[in-house]
Amino acid sequence: MPDHNVMASSTVEDYIKRIYLQQQQAPDAYVPLGRLATDMQVVPGTATAMVKTLSEAGLVDYQPRVGVQLTSNGDKLALHVLRRHRLLELFLVQTLHYDWSEVHEEAEILEHVVSDKMLERIDQLLGHPSADPHGDPIPSSQGTVPDRQLTRLIEIDPDEPVHISRIVNQEPAFLRFIERSGLTPGIEITIDTLDDQAESLTLTREDGETLNLGLQAASSILVARRE
Ligand SMILES: [Zn+2]
């Protein structure tokens, strides 16, 4: 692992993490700089200047007019930042009893300042977890990502019991809705009916409670099937 200390300002880490998350949506594609600028809430010229700096540091491959992709060093840095972010989120929820809808902002700040030593203590305290409170996978300290086969809830057949595993829409209001509905990761549910015309489905939770969910909301929920 290269020494990131010189380059690892929080801005660099934020760019690298953004590019990584964009690449997750479309693997192998170059991330257009316009989209990166929108994501980072900066004007395109600022994003371009930053990407050139990242390219000189060997963290990204920049193709003018095409976009940007992480190099293997960029990838390693992104996974390191995500490990910090997600472990901190879990720590805030499990140990400090934060609400899961409010930990993201806090982790955005802490991820840049937590020491490796403190992070490994947190990892130990939490029992080397593989996912954060929202179900996002926590990369290992070696930079490997736990591989889970998840399916969108709306693709599941009725009567097949599945476990809620990951909430993709992490807007605080949506997370609070998910919590109120008792649909947090780990809960087992079964779809009873799915009506495309009404754009809604009914499901039954493991505690026997039946509820209605719009397909739009359901499409933000990923589930794990039984092995
Ligand atoms: Zn999260």
Side-chain angles (χ1 to χ4, degrees), residues 186-227:
I187 299 289
E188 188 177 271
I189 55 156
T190 320
I191 291 183
D192 304 314
T193 58
L194 191 154
D195 186 337
D196 277 325
Q197 296 313 310
E199 293 185 349
S200 75
L201 55 79
T202 55
L203 58 83
T204 302
R205 274 192 331 235
E206 60 187 34
D207 60 1
E209 190 85 23
T210 295
L211 46 135
N212 247 295
L213 199 61
L215 293 191
Q216 169 99 39
S219 67
S220 287
I221 300 175
L222 302 187
V223 298
R225 305 178 118 119
R226 282 190 180 150
E227 300 295 298

Side-chain angles (χ1 to χ4, degrees), residues 17-105:
K17 188 175 64 174
R18 269 297 131 214
I19 297 167
Y20 178 91
L21 294 172
Q22 284 289 352
Q23 282 182 210
Q24 293 287 99
Q25 317 274 321
D28 303 326
Y30 278 74
V31 178
L33 287 208
R35 190 180 310 153
L36 183 61
T38 307
D39 254 25
M40 295 299 299
Q41 296 174 307
V42 296
V43 295
T46 305
T48 306
M50 189 62 197
V51 160
K52 282 181 183 159
T53 306
L54 298 175
S55 170
E56 279 156 24
L59 294 170
V60 302
D61 172 22
Y62 169 50
Q63 302 285 341
R65 285 179 298 280
V66 179
V68 64
Q69 233 181 22
L70 296 179
T71 61
S72 62
N73 278 343
D75 216 50
K76 275 185 203 152
L77 178 57
L79 291 168
H80 193 53
V81 179
L82 283 173
R83 173 174 169 77
R84 285 184 253 149
H85 184 98
R86 292 172 178 172
L87 267 174
L88 285 163
E89 282 193 347
L90 192 62
F91 175 68
L92 291 169
V93 168
Q94 278 200 0
T95 311
L96 302 185
H97 308 298
Y98 273 64
D99 190 89
W100 76 329
S101 67
E102 62 179 356
V103 289
H104 180 77
E105 293 307 313

Side-chain angles (χ1 to χ4, degrees), residues 143-160:
T144 53
V145 185
D147 180 32
R148 290 177 308 163
Q149 293 303 322
L150 300 183
T151 312
R152 294 203 302 165
L153 175 60
I154 51 174
E155 285 161 20
I156 296 294
D157 290 327
D159 299 326
E160 180 187 345

